[in-house]
Amino acid sequence: MFPFLALLDTEHVDEELLLAVSRVAPVITSRSTPESTIRYLLVEDSTSTDVNQIITLLDDGADKAIVPLSLAKSLLGTVPAHRLHLLLDVANVSAVSDSVRNAVSGVLLKTSASSGFGPDVDLVHSVSRFFVGAEVYVLAPDLPTPSIIRKLAAIGASVVIPFSQLTLGSTSQKMISITDAFLAPIVSDRSDGLFPTVISSDPHGKRSLGLVYSSCESVAESIRTGKGMYHSRKHGLWRKGETSGATQDVVRIRVDCDTDALEFSVVQHGAGFCHLNRASCFGDLDGLAALERTLASRLVDAPEGSYTRRLFKDEELLRAKIMEEADELCRAKTKEEVAFEAADLIYFTVARCVAAGVSVKDIERSLDKKAMKISRRPGNAKQQWMSKTEPPKAQLSKAETPRASSTPSSKVLPDRNGPIQMRTVDISSVTPEDRAKLLKRPVLRSDEMIAKVKPIVDNVRARGDSALCELTAKFDKAQLDTPLLLPPFYPLAPEAQHLDPAVRDAIDAAYSNVYKFHAAQIDGAPLVVETMPGVTCTRFARPIARVGLYVPGGTAVLPSTALMLGVPAQVAGCEKIVMATPPRADGSISPEVLYVAHKVGAHAILRAGGAQAVAALAYGTETVPKVDKIFGPGNQWVTAAKMLVQNDTDAMVSIDMPAGPSEVLVIADDTCNPAFVAADLLSQAEHGIDSQVVLVASSLPETVLAQVEEEVDKQAHALGRVDIVRESVAKSLIVKTQGPEVAMEFSNDYAPEHLILHLRDAPAWVDHVKNAGSVFVGPYSPESCGDYASGTNHTLPTNGYARQFSGVNTQSFQKHITSQEVTMEGLQTLGPIVATLADCEGLQAHANAVRIRLGM
């Protein structure tokens, strides 16, 4: 039972008020509401709404329909009783037949006021006895008081309160606060007045997380903010996760059947609810929740070449496994066989979902929607699944990849060769609100990731090399005696003997270009300015003494990143360069990275990756030197660890910039080569499914735009990473604009990591660029050149941070110091000015430092 229901009686309702109400009460409305809302569909006019419309609205997610008696008769036998309520004037109760009464599960009574003090409770009670076992709601014209709400609750009825009478503030003569309405019938059985509160996990099927206590104040805060807030018996109001990061989003607050306890249904963030960093105070996760967590972890740290890694990377393998397990489930006979094969199918299904970023909660939402359907499908299977096929005579093992000729099931795999297309918008026809949405990137849940990496960082900080070696064995499967490698890295290191001469020559050429460009950026000669006679101000640069360079690796080979970070550090003259990169399974480092470390003069290589490497660089260990600034890209674990340590004053370390998915924005006009444009778009789309790819079509003729789209599809299908490209391109965007001025305005608002100009007289448009990480000018300047060897740096700001940040450059590895020299004559002029301003600010000692020199 709900203490009250809310009637959406206004055309425009405050979103904050609607969300707060949705946390504690169903909303009665004829309009759409947020997804988390329990929505009761209200139909007051039976002449303007037919049966099919009601069924459609119930199919679309309305929890119940509240309809007049005339419509209820038409819905009998079609809409289940638990989804159907009656709308009745209290005077017409006698018109309800037994067949209608038995076919509904509730009634909303519209009553008249009784002496200005609310509905006639005795009359409502008599009606409730007529509708035995049904839910009874009461809508009266008067503002309900907490006393009336309690009286109705005592007879098993709930009050309906219009939104126009609800407030997030305090109760007044015209409004009642949501909290007062919700808590009105609740009575604590404790001497301290607190309410026992069960916390359950919304995404994981009502798993109990813990038991806490709530007060009126904490409940009010949770309703208002949507955050888990409770009452500590020792410390008062308790904001869950405020210090640990294990915060909660409140989905629903319910009252138990005895109205003396509460249940908070929440989305739990961070390590978990329990102070022991577990999901629940009652033990660890199990079932689907545990499987989801395990697979999510393996998605991040499964070693290259392992079966799990192959499942996530090889869509054909995963698809074949799902088909295989579905077939085996269909052929299972006994109860045990069905359970075993169903478990196998669920395992691979959840793996598919985790790989696609789909959670168990997402699946549950979809199941909930299916369960809400009133209308029924014909129930016919697709013809391809109705064909009779003999079971394969020889089953493949669960670790093998089926080929097209291996089993009959391979003939009915979904077509993965459809067109790969971007979506298109015309900027001239979108609203300012929609334009703002086009500029947004996916939300990065940095708070959740920081909570996950904090135990890793704390472990390395406390235990040093021991923790580093353990974590490297866990995540990289490499057993190390020591995490640090010292020079010489080349050519004496055993791994260096395997460097391909062609690759070495390419690295040499790239090094030369990158070095030339970054050497030209060095801030060498001091800046000297005489601001007034006898007063000389100077600014000069000094290298940051100790720098850490994070180079993603493991089985991947990324000498380009080592170059882009190592060269400017070398040019700047940093005293200690520590390069960190994940080792291969045998503990070795790729020869390409070793060679770059040798060329840039690295002083050490830390054989570790992830958050543990960042922690070692930030705090130092027995062997790893502590650094002053950490550079380099990485996955979400690396990024979160960098953000965590830079905000720790004990670490005294800074970072280069925030990081996000790779992105490119291409501006093209009618002079462009469609094949070049498509190739530039795909060069970023292949990075990952979250890559951001935008084509701004500057007055581009439809025929040329069609050619670009054809090239995207053709070139994408020829790539080895086509499945990744298919997903990233599907989320990508073509923005049509009228002329290059509008195109450039959109680009400056978007602030892309990479900006490519396929424009007539492209160099002239560089002056119009305000926000971008790096610009590639003209048809023969592919972004790949900047990634590897043109000379510019490829470590660039993403996610719109090009508005505030520069890409990595030589001055990123320098700091600037100012000095001033004042002569006696200069002080005689400057001193009185300084003394006057110091007196103005009330800083006597400042003024005295001048006066004592001048004898003032």
Side-chain angles (χ1 to χ4, degrees):
M1 183 184 77
F2 297 97
F4 75 98
L5 290 80
L7 174 63
L8 195 56
D9 63 335
T10 58
E11 185 64 26
H12 301 288
V13 62
D14 179 75
E15 184 177 355
E16 186 180 6
L17 180 67
L18 177 58
L19 289 173
V21 168
S22 300
R23 295 177 187 118
V24 295
V27 174
I28 300 175
T29 179
S30 57
R31 310 204 305 262
S32 61
T33 56
E35 184 177 346
S36 60
T37 306
I38 299 176
R39 178 162 63 104
Y40 289 8
L41 172 67
L42 178 63
V43 180
E44 295 186 88
D45 184 2
S46 59
T47 61
S48 61
T49 307
D50 63 24
V51 171
N52 290 330
Q53 288 177 298
I54 294 172
I55 291 174
T56 298
L57 291 167
L58 287 170
D59 280 346
D60 289 343
D63 294 82
K64 301 180 190 297
I66 303 174
V67 301
L69 182 58
S70 57
L71 267 178
K73 294 176 181 177
S74 301
L75 293 168
L76 298 186
T78 302
V79 177
H82 72 278
R83 304 283 300 281
L84 190 60
H85 285 1
L86 273 181
L87 174 65
L88 276 181
D89 189 282
V90 72
N92 296 330
V93 172
S94 59
V96 179
S97 65
D98 287 346
S99 60
V100 172
R101 181 179 60 179
N102 294 331
V104 300
S105 57
V107 58
L108 192 161
L109 295 174
K110 300 176 74 172
T111 72
S112 58
S114 175
S115 304
F117 295 100
D120 186 329
V121 176
D122 290 334
L123 178 60
V124 173
H125 193 195
S126 65
V127 172
S128 69
R129 287 197 296 268
F130 176 76
F131 288 95
V132 178
E135 298 169 359
V136 178
Y137 315 127
V138 182
L139 175 62
D142 297 321
L143 176 70
T145 64
S147 174
I148 288 295
I149 296 174
R150 280 192 291 272
K151 288 178 181 179
L152 288 173
I155 62 171
S158 299
V159 68
V160 176
I161 309 175
F163 265 78
S164 56
Q165 296 178 352
L166 287 167
T167 178
L168 285 168
S170 302
T171 297
S172 64
Q173 291 184 345
K174 295 183 178 180
M175 310 279 280
I176 184 169
S177 83
I178 300 172
T179 304
D180 287 348
F182 177 71
L183 292 178
I186 305 174
V187 179
S188 173
D189 60 358
R190 294 172 51 85
S191 60
D192 56 10
L194 299 178
F195 309 114
T197 302
V198 175
I199 311 299
S200 65
S201 175
D202 184 71
H204 294 309
K206 295 302 173 193
R207 170 66 190 263
S208 294
L209 302 181
L211 177 67
V212 297
Y213 294 91
S214 296
S215 62
C216 294
E217 180 186 10
S218 70
V219 172
E221 281 293 292
S222 290
I223 292 174
R224 183 181 65 83
T225 65
K227 299 296 182 182
M229 298 196 184
Y230 311 104
H231 191 95
S232 167
R233 287 169 291 174
K234 292 183 179 180
H235 306 295
L237 192 63
W238 167 31
R239 292 174 172 83
K240 172 64 180 166
E242 190 174 45
T243 56
S244 68
T247 57
Q248 299 172 335
D249 294 329
V250 176
V251 178
R252 193 89 61 230
I253 307 176
R254 293 182 176 86
V255 184
D256 80 324
C257 57
D258 294 324
T259 62
D260 60 3
L262 302 174
E263 182 203 39
F264 275 53
S265 183
V266 304
V267 175
Q268 178 69 54
H269 302 293
F273 179 84
C274 181
H275 71 285
L276 299 177
N277 287 333
R278 297 188 307 202
S280 167
C281 291
F282 302 113
D284 208 351
L285 298 174
D286 55 16
L288 284 178
L291 175 60
E292 180 185 31
R293 182 183 64 183
T294 298
L295 289 173
S297 173
R298 291 178 181 175
L299 178 64
V300 174
D301 60 27
E304 289 294 336
S306 67
Y307 181 35
T308 306
R309 175 59 66 192
R310 289 172 58 215
L311 278 177
F312 287 130
K313 295 184 70 172
D314 187 343
E315 288 195 5
E316 289 296 324
L317 172 61
L318 183 52
R319 186 183 307 114
K321 291 304 300 178
I322 292 173
M323 303 288 288
E324 173 189 332
E325 299 303 339
D327 181 73
E328 291 179 357
L329 175 61
C330 292
R331 300 178 191 283
K333 301 298 182 185
T334 68
K335 179 179 178 181
E336 291 75 15
E337 288 174 346
V338 170
F340 183 87
E341 298 302 339
D344 274 354
L345 179 58
I346 290 171
Y347 177 92
F348 291 104
T349 301
V350 175
R352 173 72 180 91
C353 292
V354 169
V358 175
S359 68
V360 169
K361 181 57 181 175
D362 295 329
I363 300 171
E364 290 175 346
R365 287 196 192 98
S366 183
L367 287 172
D368 288 343
K369 289 178 181 178
K370 296 178 190 301
M372 300 289 277
K373 295 287 186 182
I374 301 296
S375 55
R376 295 289 179 260
R377 294 181 294 183
N380 299 324
K382 293 180 179 178
Q383 188 60 40
Q384 65 188 103
W385 303 112
M386 297 296 291
S387 59
K388 302 295 183 181
T389 58
E390 292 299 318
K393 296 180 179 180
Q395 292 281 344
L396 289 176
S397 73
K398 293 184 182 293
E400 290 181 298
T401 307
R403 303 294 182 219
S405 59
S406 297
T407 68
S409 64
S410 63
K411 298 176 183 177
V412 293
L413 291 177
D415 179 18
R416 298 290 290 176
N417 294 316
I420 296 176
Q421 297 176 322
M422 304 166 72
R423 58 192 180 96
T424 303
V425 298
D426 190 327
I427 201 67
S428 65
S429 62
V430 301
T431 64
E433 293 77 12
D434 289 337
R435 186 182 189 278
K437 291 178 181 177
L438 296 177
L439 301 174
K440 289 185 177 180
R441 278 58 154 195
V443 176
L444 302 176
R445 302 303 297 268
S446 57
D447 54 342
E448 294 182 10
M449 284 308 304
I450 287 174
K452 291 178 180 178
V453 302
K454 190 175 187 302
I456 298 173
V457 172
D458 290 344
N459 189 10
V460 174
R461 184 180 180 183
R463 298 177 53 240
D465 285 350
S466 296
L468 263 182
C469 291
E470 289 175 9
L471 291 166
T472 301
K474 176 181 179 181
F475 294 122
D476 299 305
K477 312 306 177 189
Q479 303 294 330
L480 304 178
D481 295 327
T482 176
L484 207 66
L485 286 181
L486 297 174
F489 304 124
Y490 182 89
L492 299 182
E495 303 96 312
Q497 307 303 317
H498 302 290
L499 181 61
D500 184 333
V503 174
R504 183 190 61 208
D505 292 344
I507 290 174
D508 287 342
Y511 172 86
S512 176
N513 287 349
V514 175
Y515 192 97
K516 287 177 188 175
F517 187 67
H518 286 77
Q521 301 169 22
I522 192 74
D523 196 347
L527 172 70
V528 181
V529 177
E530 187 177 48
T531 58
M532 63 171 51
V535 180
T536 302
C537 296
T538 304
R539 191 190 78 157
F540 51 92
R542 294 289 184 268
I544 296 172
R546 303 166 300 182
V547 294
L549 314 181
Y550 187 88
V551 179
T555 58
V557 179
L558 294 174
S560 61
T561 299
L563 276 173
M564 296 296 172
L565 300 177
V567 169
Q570 181 184 32
V571 169
C574 297
E575 296 173 12
K576 191 173 289 292
I577 301 172
V578 182
M579 198 173 284
T581 190
R584 297 184 288 194
D586 62 358
S588 66
I589 302 297
S590 76
E592 296 83 1
V593 172
L594 282 176
Y595 183 58
V596 173
H598 160 73
K599 287 191 72 73
V600 303
H603 299 85
I605 296 179
L606 169 59
R607 293 183 293 174
Q612 59 271 25
V614 174
L617 294 172
Y619 299 103
T621 70
E622 300 93 319
T623 61
V624 181
K626 180 202 174 335
V627 302
D628 302 309
K629 189 171 182 178
I630 300 173
F631 296 80
N635 60 20
Q636 56 186 338
W637 295 82
V638 173
T639 300
K642 287 170 65 178
M643 295 172 66
L644 176 63
V645 298
Q646 78 157 342
N647 289 317
D648 183 0
T649 53
D650 288 340
M652 290 291 291
V653 70
S654 66
I655 66 173
D656 46 2
M657 69 187 80
S662 186
E663 55 191 42
V664 67
L665 185 146
V666 178
I667 303 179
D669 64 13
D670 59 348
T671 66
C672 74
N673 182 316
F676 291 4
V677 173
D680 287 341
L681 295 169
L682 294 173
S683 70
Q684 290 301 299
E686 73 171 350
H687 272 293
I689 62 173
D690 55 357
S691 295
Q692 306 295 298
V693 177
V694 179
L695 169 61
V696 180
S698 173
S699 300
L700 199 62
E702 289 297 326
T703 54
V704 180
L705 185 56
Q707 290 173 9
V708 171
E709 293 185 279
E710 289 173 7
E711 284 290 337
V712 166
D713 183 55
K714 181 178 74 174
Q715 294 181 35
H717 277 103
L719 297 174
R721 297 167 70 88
V722 61
D723 288 335
I724 291 175
V725 169
R726 183 184 297 278
E727 293 196 47
S728 59
V729 168
K731 303 172 196 170
S732 300
L733 192 64
I734 297 173
V735 179
K736 294 181 178 180
T737 68
Q738 292 302 313
E741 293 84 0
V742 181
M744 193 62 71
E745 180 184 3
F746 181 86
S747 174
N748 283 326
D749 289 342
Y750 190 84
E753 177 188 17
H754 304 98
L755 170 61
I756 304 178
L757 303 180
H758 287 275
L759 293 172
R760 180 181 288 103
D761 192 15
W765 287 100
V766 175
D767 288 342
H768 296 263
V769 177
K770 296 178 181 178
N771 302 315
S774 190
V775 185
F776 301 81
V777 185
Y780 296 100
S781 304
E783 183 272 334
S784 315
C785 290
D787 265 357
Y788 291 103
S790 66
T792 61
N793 207 290
H794 78 195
T795 307
L796 303 168
T798 61
N799 208 39
Y801 279 110
R803 299 183 190 93
Q804 303 95 353
F805 286 85
S806 305
V808 166
N809 55 74
T810 302
Q811 293 189 20
S812 304
F813 293 83
Q814 294 179 298
K815 57 184 183 289
H816 290 87
I817 304 169
T818 59
S819 70
Q820 46 270 303
E821 181 181 356
V822 183
T823 65
M824 180 61 187
E825 293 75 14
L827 188 61
Q828 287 174 346
T829 304
L830 184 62
I833 299 170
V834 173
T836 299
L837 291 174
D839 289 339
C840 175
E841 295 186 353
L843 298 175
Q844 184 179 4
H846 280 67
N848 186 58
V850 171
R851 290 189 173 112
I852 199 169
R853 287 171 165 82
L854 296 177
M856 295 172 62

